[in-house]
Amino acid sequence: MNFEKVYEPQRFEPHWAQWWIDSRLYQVDVAKAVPGHIFSLVIPPPNVTGSLHIGHMLDHTVMDVAVRWHRMLGETTLWLPGMDHAGIATQMVVERELAKEGITRRQLGREEFERRVWQWKEEYGGRIQTQIRREGASVDWSRERFTMDHGLSRAVRETFVRLWEKGLIYRGEYMVNWCPRCQTAISDVETAHEAVEGFLWHIRYPLTGSHDALTVATTRPETMLGDTALAVHPEDERYRHLVGKTATLPILHREIPIITDPIVDPKFGTGVVKVTPAHDPNDFEIGKRHSLPFIKIIGEDARMTAAAGPYAGLDRFEARKRIVAALEQSGELIKTEPYTVNVSKCDRCKTVVEPLVSTQWFVRMKPLAERAMEAVRSGQIRFVPDDREPVFFQWMENIRDWCISRQLWWGHRIPAWHCASCRKITVARETPATCPHCHSTELQQDPDVLDTWFSSGLWPFSTLGWPDKTPDFETFYPTSLLITGFDILFFWVSRMIMLGLECTGCVPFRQVHMHGLVRDAERQKMSKTKGNVVDPLELIDRFGTDACRVALLVSASPGTDIALKEDRIEASRGFTNKLWNASRLLFLNLGRSGIRNWAPSGGALTTDSRATEDVWIFQRLNVAADTVNHALERHRYHEAAQTLWDFVWHEFCDWYLEVKKLRFREGSGLDPHWRAALTAYEATLRLLHPFMPFITEELWQRLIHGNATNEQQPRSISFARYPAASATALKTTHEIQIFELMKEVVEAARKLRADHKLDPKATLAATLYLHSATFAPEDLAAVAALSKLTVEQRSGAMGEQSGLLRSTPEFDLQIHAAASAQNGAVTGEARARILKEIANLERAIENSDRQLSDPVFLSRAPEKVVANLRAKREEYRIQLDKNRKLLEGLE
RNA sequence: GGGCGCGUAGCUCAGUUGGUUAGAGCGCCUGCUUCACACGCAGGAGGUCACAGGUUCGAGUCCUGUCGCGCCCACCA
């Protein structure tokens, strides 16, 4: 069998990825699903915009661990893949492509443009599929979906019509966030607030028919051209006499009324606010309350409109400069003070958003949010960990209506038709031929498309066939779990909960697990502009998928972001290589074993072998399995991965195999040893499989289907049973204590050798005084081999205290050889070390004594704690004693 | 302004009902190419757990305050 010294992931990973797909391994047969044993989740559909980044890989890896675990628990497990059409984002990249050819989308026309975007989707969608495959994600490709698929588009229309009919969708003229760059309205969550150093300009508004004036502070002087009132607080005594009078708008010399509105904060600035109903959300409300004129002075292109008089045609920021200059000149600018302004920027292109009054479609959120909050409060949906819940509730409680129409071409067209003759709107599931109100045929579909998140919000059920009651929908909905980054809690998670409850009457998932972001080694957010984006495929090529997965998983503790460092991946590659070489040891020796008819147990993690190391490793295996299963249940993936790392490396390899190796060399009576070793090894592979699917598949196939007759075994390790611990196997027995004692003796010997700079190669004579236990001959032989000693075992207390000593409450180890390289320097070093240890021990004993003589401690502390402390104290005392003697010996 | 979180070894971080010399990976030092692995093995140095109080027999862990840092939400012009 070909078994290289170094594991080369590139040789195996693509092969198994392909095999998993070709053999349709993860394609679920819905007919075989057993109620109560079903696990389903949907992938958060990546944008077709480009390629996956490392954050997706973390997301997908965590999901894959969960999915493979459930699958190995024997549940019917569906992981549904797919992609999102990502309206605005995709339209932008395609437009950018067109720009390279020197064309705009308008030149192309709507239909042709849409064709180009579909082309793009074909190309990049394929790339994303490849990436998901290489991540090892065990998705069901036969159920792959795209948000613009026919079925999903049907779900979108169905939802829209239902919400409209229930009055939960409305159309109207309101203030929205307008991105002048993207040329569309965007929702509140698509804007990002940013503190910018700006100014607060104090402007004088002369009172009509008086020499007096009111001073108004503003951060946006250009909007004054659209002012239609000044407002003060109703109880502000300073201005009470002016209410009802008018002031003159500088520059345009328009007369505007002075009104009162409770929203004005008398303590801010001068307590007088200029009111620009068409360009400020607050002013919009004031304007409505007082029926003020709405003068639109900034247009969709962020340039001043004709209403801006002399400034018409100027960019809004240029207009600001000129207006400030003009006011300064006319003496109407009283004061300019530096001020930090919160500006809203478009999430997508970072352009400063312009609040504009515009006719858009909205979803009434309050009633939806109520049900969503109730679902979380009542535990129908659980956040794990739950520390994100307050954020969810805070947002839900303050929710505002959702602007869902976008002035884009790429997306789901709003299913509403405008009648040119009667002016009425028809919202319908199917394109109407005539206007149902006046039977006119002059119907035109609304030009807008829906916010991308509208269709994503239906994802958990639209992908399963809803609104039809398909077998998939009936079987897999509600899904069991949602795993995603917390950065899309508002965009996606909340909306799925709301729309799921509204459309299906049921929560879309039972649990939500949110992980952190992957940041670069310097904890910077990854972004294309910073150029610190890590391409998962590149890492996979260099280190292998399994290594990358493990690196991500061990770093992914809940609630914190991951700072991805390459040395972490290198360490994980070391781990895969370690596993590979442990396997190599077993496989290369297997030929000599003469073992026949070995088959994996599959069931309980037990062995018939009474060999000390076998009993020990099976207990450790059970403990590991127990910890891992519990950790996975609670979505503590890092803990699970870390546990396996430690088990495989520091227990299975460092101790178990090291001892087993000695047994193998003995050559005879090996059968039980081999059976135990293979059983433990095979169970270890199964434990590891959800985390490292590729290498475990490769090794398992070699072990199971390589030579033995194992036809009744599953085709793939991913359908083998996930190991479960049994309670009895977790207990500590005599053999286990013996093995722990063996470890301690070996470690003591190694330490002595290093401390005294003994020849690392020499086999030295030693006497081991075991105070209560006794080693069987084969165990003593193992201890001797691992510590390179010829050990004579005696029971009871040590006699003559000479040579090099190491003592514990259980044993004294005495190496007879004088330190071969011992010289003054070494003695000094050893002395210093011993002195330090003595000091530490004295302190520890002092602490223990204080505690143990405290009656309150003795009465309140649990018995176990007290007993532990007593034992520890005894151990310190013995060590201290031996150290003092050792020191004397040196002098 | 509100909410959430963080501050533990040189670096990145674990540490879930409070329990007794505080852990890992990387880096560092010493030794070892031992017939699974130098992507390795053995040994080691390194921490007043941000600071100050409090609760407790006992605090990295719970409470209060201070300082420093981060994120999210928010219509204060």
Side-chain angles (χ1 to χ4, degrees), chain A residues 421-724:
Chain A
S421 113
C422 74
R423 299 269 153 210
K424 285 188 173 149
I425 293 174
T426 304
V427 169
R429 289 171 179 80
E430 301 300 332
T431 308
T434 59
C435 174
H437 302 99
C438 69
H439 306 292
S440 156
T441 53
E442 289 179 80
L443 285 179
Q444 266 210 311
Q445 187 168 8
D446 195 288
D448 291 352
V449 300
L450 287 164
D451 182 2
T452 265
W453 297 102
F454 190 89
S455 55
S456 326
L458 316 177
W459 186 252
F461 44 97
S462 64
T463 50
L464 293 172
W466 186 89
D468 294 336
K469 291 200 180 303
T470 60
D472 270 13
F473 179 75
E474 299 276 286
T475 307
F476 298 115
Y477 190 85
T479 61
S480 317
L481 173 65
L482 178 81
I483 296 180
T484 188
F486 66 78
D487 51 326
I488 51 175
L489 174 62
F490 306 137
F491 285 101
W492 195 48
V493 181
S494 306
R495 272 121 179 220
M496 277 192 288
I497 297 174
M498 291 186 281
L499 291 171
L501 284 163
E502 177 59 32
C503 293
T504 69
C506 182
V507 294
F509 30 74
R510 299 292 185 195
Q511 284 187 44
V512 182
H513 172 68
M514 279 178 281
H515 56 251
L517 256 53
V518 182
R519 295 166 177 274
D520 73 3
E522 278 72 49
R523 306 216 112 255
Q524 297 287 308
K525 224 171 186 166
M526 290 190 186
S527 75
K528 277 181 194 153
T529 45
K530 277 186 216 145
N532 61 349
V533 179
V534 177
D535 177 6
L537 278 191
E538 191 212 309
L539 288 179
I540 286 173
D541 284 340
R542 285 169 57 209
F543 300 105
T545 302
D546 289 332
C548 294
R549 287 170 63 117
V550 169
L552 288 168
L553 287 166
V554 294
S555 326
S557 55
T560 46
D561 290 350
I562 295 176
L564 187 72
K565 292 188 130 193
E566 221 164 73
D567 57 20
R568 185 89 233 182
I569 310 177
E570 277 171 26
S572 301
R573 178 182 59 186
F575 181 68
T576 54
N577 196 52
K578 188 75 184 173
L579 175 66
W580 179 256
N581 273 288
S583 312
R584 190 164 181 260
L585 170 71
L586 289 168
F587 278 90
L588 294 183
N589 283 291
L590 191 57
R592 291 201 267 119
S593 71
I595 196 161
R596 297 279 176 275
N597 305 324
W598 175 84
S601 65
L605 303 173
T606 55
T607 179
D608 296 335
S609 169
R610 296 326 295 163
T612 314
E613 72 277 8
D614 289 332
V615 176
W616 178 78
I617 199 66
F618 273 84
Q619 191 237 10
R620 301 314 306 160
L621 186 59
N622 274 278
V623 169
D626 193 50
T627 310
V628 169
N629 279 301
H630 274 103
L632 291 177
E633 244 165 55
R634 291 170 301 153
H635 302 288
R636 298 182 61 87
Y637 300 94
H638 74 300
E639 195 180 311
Q642 192 63 53
T643 299
L644 286 172
W645 180 298
D646 291 338
F647 170 73
V648 169
W649 205 315
H650 302 303
E651 298 187 317
F652 191 80
C653 290
D654 285 354
W655 289 101
Y656 181 69
L657 285 184
E658 288 301 326
V659 172
K660 260 313 171 232
K661 228 156 57 172
L662 305 168
R663 310 284 190 227
F664 294 161
R665 277 179 206 154
E666 287 162 14
S668 64
L670 277 178
D671 201 65
H673 284 278
W674 268 109
R675 287 179 187 281
L678 289 179
T679 306
Y681 170 70
E682 193 270 343
T684 302
L685 290 182
R686 280 183 281 136
L687 273 177
L688 286 169
H689 181 253
F691 304 83
M692 316 171 79
F694 290 115
I695 189 172
T696 49
E697 183 77 277
E698 171 67 26
L699 292 169
W700 196 82
Q701 294 289 347
R702 286 179 185 222
L703 180 68
I704 301 300
H705 296 297
N707 40 25
T709 50
N710 276 308
E711 277 138 14
Q712 76 283 21
Q713 288 295 319
R715 296 162 72 197
S716 160
I717 188 174
S718 47
F719 284 91
R721 202 61 187 212
Y722 202 69

